[in-house]
């Protein structure tokens, strides 16, 4: 792929909560512009376009995919529609940034990755945590041996809601449940540090609709001699913290570990050391919060950087990593007995 120059022109596909937050953060990104939005309905597309001053509004995803002046599409539908929406855009020659969970299952993820690779187009899961400068600093420290060899990872993400039976998080057809929406963060965090586990155990409380309300996971890496204890919930406000413990020390992330502003390194014989990440180019996570941004600008900057460099894949959020996470999520769902209608197409 040849690197792009000039303004990167974005299309936003869907008009829900994260589509709005993403569009808001993108406004602070230099040399980028949201030029079009698509919704399932004209009215919603029009309202979103007016709210954010977007020039073109479409009442169909196909019309956005066919817009010759869109370079890259941000897919922000519920997970159940990620594969269809992203495939439609890739088939029309668009680069794609697709929300997490990447797809409903590994089979869908595989199909998307193959399509992007066949077409030579950029595709990335919107795993913003991996692009966060504080998280990147942590992985560098760990790689440099600051805590020795990793033995355990702990992480959790639970929200109390309440999410009623009408909410997408409770809808099996939309890929509802805690695991794909929130559990994907602790699972991705563990994958970032240790790769794909070879042992997966899990326990969950399911809703009457058959989605997971609360899930506990125990993952194991035989070769590394490490394990991870992870939790997610849509019925309980968990600490939302993470810790990585190695043979020579540990790293602790405070609440909000998936978009951190800082972490603390603890080593025997040393005072605890706090790490942040402020860079002149992009305000650090702390600076970003001060500027009213949510932290989504780091993944946006990574997409723009990759497109300009002519890369079809981000080294920060590699597609093989997203595929591995989907396989782990499939394995967890297998253990807890959550099946989505799309699984029956397998
Ligand atoms: N990175 C993050 O921090 C973050 C945060 C929240 C969510 N997410 C991810 O982003 C995705 C969307 O989450 P959200 O919280 O924005 O959800 P949301 O507020 O419910 O919005 C989803 C949007 O998708 C569109 N849509 C397409 N097909 C749909 C269907 N069958 N049913 C309902 N809506 C449908 C709708 O827009 P139209 O009416 O315009 O078609 C809807 O507004 C999820 O995959 C979620 O995991 C990421």
């Amino acid at each position: 792929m040849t690197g792009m120059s000039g303004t990167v022109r974005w299309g936003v596909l869907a008009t829900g909560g994260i589509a709005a937050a993403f569009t808001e953060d993108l406004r602070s990104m230099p040399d980028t512009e949201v030029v079009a939005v698509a919704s399932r309905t004209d009215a919603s597309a029009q309202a979103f376009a007016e709210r954010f001053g977007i020039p073109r509004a479409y009442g169909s995803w196909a019309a956005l995919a066919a817009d010759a002046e869109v370079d890259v599409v941000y897919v922000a539908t519920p997970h159940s529609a990620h594969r269809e929406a992203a495939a439609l855009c890739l088939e029309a020659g668009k680069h794609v940034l697709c929300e997490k969970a990447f797809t409903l299952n590994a089979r869908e993820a595989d199909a998307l990755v193959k399509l992007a690779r066949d077409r030579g187009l950029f595709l990335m899961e919107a795993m913003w945590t991996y692009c966060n400068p504080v998280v990147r600093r942590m992985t560098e420290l760990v790689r440099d041996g600051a805590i020795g060899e990793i033995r355990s990872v702990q992480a959790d993400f639970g929200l109390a809601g309440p999410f009623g039976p009408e909410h997408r998080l409770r809808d099996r057809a939309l890929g509802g449940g805690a695991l794909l929406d929130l559990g994907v963060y602790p699972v991705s965090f563990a994958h970032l540090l240790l790769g794909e586990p070879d042992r997966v155990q899990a326990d969950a409380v399911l809703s009457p609709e058959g989605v997971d309300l609360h899930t506990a996971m125990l993952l194991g890496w035989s070769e590394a001699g490490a394990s991870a204890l992870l939790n997610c919930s849509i019925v309980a406000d968990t600490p939302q913290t993470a810790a990585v413990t190695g043979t020579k020390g540990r790293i602790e992330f405070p609440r909000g570990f998936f978009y951190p502003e800082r972490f603390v390194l603890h080593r025997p014989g040393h005072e605890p050391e706090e790490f942040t990440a402020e860079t002149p180019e992009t305000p650090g996570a702390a600076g970003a919060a001060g500027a009213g941004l949510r932290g989504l600008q780091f993944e946006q900057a990574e997409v723009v950087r990759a497109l300009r460099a002519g890369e079809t894949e981000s080294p920060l959020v590699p597609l093989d990593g997203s595929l591995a996470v989907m396989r782990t999520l499939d394995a967890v769902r297998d253990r807890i007995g959550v099946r989505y209608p799309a699984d029956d197409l397998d």
Side-chain angles (χ1 to χ4, degrees):
M1 187 178 113
T2 319
M4 284 178 51
S5 54
T7 300
V8 172
R9 301 164 301 178
W10 289 80
V12 172
L13 193 153
T15 58
I18 196 63
F22 185 91
T23 305
E24 192 68 53
D25 274 14
L26 197 59
R27 293 209 272 197
S28 71
M29 187 68 49
D31 303 323
T32 59
E33 196 187 343
V34 179
V35 296
V37 58
S39 168
R40 291 165 303 164
T41 62
D42 281 323
S44 184
Q46 286 293 348
F48 194 90
E50 274 164 34
R51 179 174 166 199
F52 293 105
I54 300 170
R56 294 186 293 287
Y58 299 114
S60 86
W61 301 348
L64 175 70
D67 185 329
E69 300 196 346
V70 168
D71 301 310
V72 54
V73 174
Y74 168 58
V75 171
T77 65
H79 338 305
S80 52
H82 287 179
R83 190 209 56 80
E84 183 191 344
L88 186 73
C89 296
L90 290 167
E91 273 157 7
K94 304 298 181 210
H95 305 295
V96 171
L97 172 66
C98 181
E99 260 310 335
K100 43 52 66 177
F102 195 34
T103 50
L104 276 188
N105 57 35
R107 177 187 51 81
E108 288 191 348
D110 228 14
L112 266 192
V113 169
K114 280 201 178 77
L115 180 59
R117 286 179 175 160
D118 283 353
R119 302 280 165 119
L121 292 164
F122 178 84
L123 174 65
M124 178 177 129
E125 178 191 5
M127 181 39 70
W128 57 318
T129 304
Y130 284 8
C131 301
N132 180 291
V134 177
V135 172
R136 293 173 65 182
R137 190 146 185 211
M138 180 274 295
T139 52
E140 272 167 29
L141 265 186
V142 170
R143 209 174 304 127
D144 291 346
I147 58 168
E149 288 180 19
I150 298 174
R151 289 289 171 259
S152 99
V153 175
Q154 282 168 266
D156 69 274
F157 189 179
L159 300 171
F163 301 106
E166 72 299 336
H167 197 279
R168 75 168 172 82
L169 286 174
R170 295 278 296 271
D171 191 334
R172 214 167 59 86
L174 297 185
L179 181 67
L180 262 59
D181 214 83
L182 305 178
V184 66
Y185 286 108
V187 169
S188 297
F189 185 77
H191 271 243
L192 179 67
L193 291 154
L194 288 159
E196 188 171 1
D198 56 285
R199 297 191 308 279
V200 175
Q201 297 174 58
D203 184 67
V205 177
L206 304 191
S207 74
E209 302 84 21
V211 304
D212 63 307
L213 296 172
H214 187 92
T215 298
M217 294 162 264
L218 177 57
L219 312 183
W221 289 259
S222 301
E223 207 171 307
S227 56
L229 202 47
L230 314 172
N231 277 281
C232 59
S233 181
I234 53 170
V235 290
D237 178 24
T238 65
Q240 301 175 18
T241 57
V244 192
T245 306
T247 49
K248 294 183 180 161
R250 72 177 188 280
I251 285 170
E252 292 182 354
F253 284 88
R255 187 172 176 83
F257 80 90
F258 48 94
Y259 66 122
E261 295 177 1
R262 62 190 177 88
F263 64 82
V264 179
L265 171 65
H266 298 266
R267 286 181 298 179
H270 295 76
E271 285 297 309
E273 283 175 78
E274 181 169 288
F275 288 80
T276 57
E278 299 285 348
T279 65
E281 304 80 36
T282 45
L293 300 176
R294 280 190 35 151
L296 298 166
Q297 78 275 21
F298 303 119
E299 68 180 6
Q300 295 168 348
E302 174 58 6
V303 174
V304 170
R305 186 207 59 74
L307 292 178
R308 293 208 190 292
E311 294 171 11
T312 52
E313 216 174 302
S314 161
L316 294 184
V317 196
L319 291 170
D320 285 344
S322 296
L323 288 171
V325 167
M326 288 313 306
R327 285 193 292 269
T328 298
L329 296 175
D330 279 3
V332 172
R333 286 202 296 118
D334 177 63
R335 308 299 183 266
I336 63 178
V338 171
R339 272 190 83 74
Y340 298 124
D343 296 326
D344 297 324
L345 303 173
D346 285 355

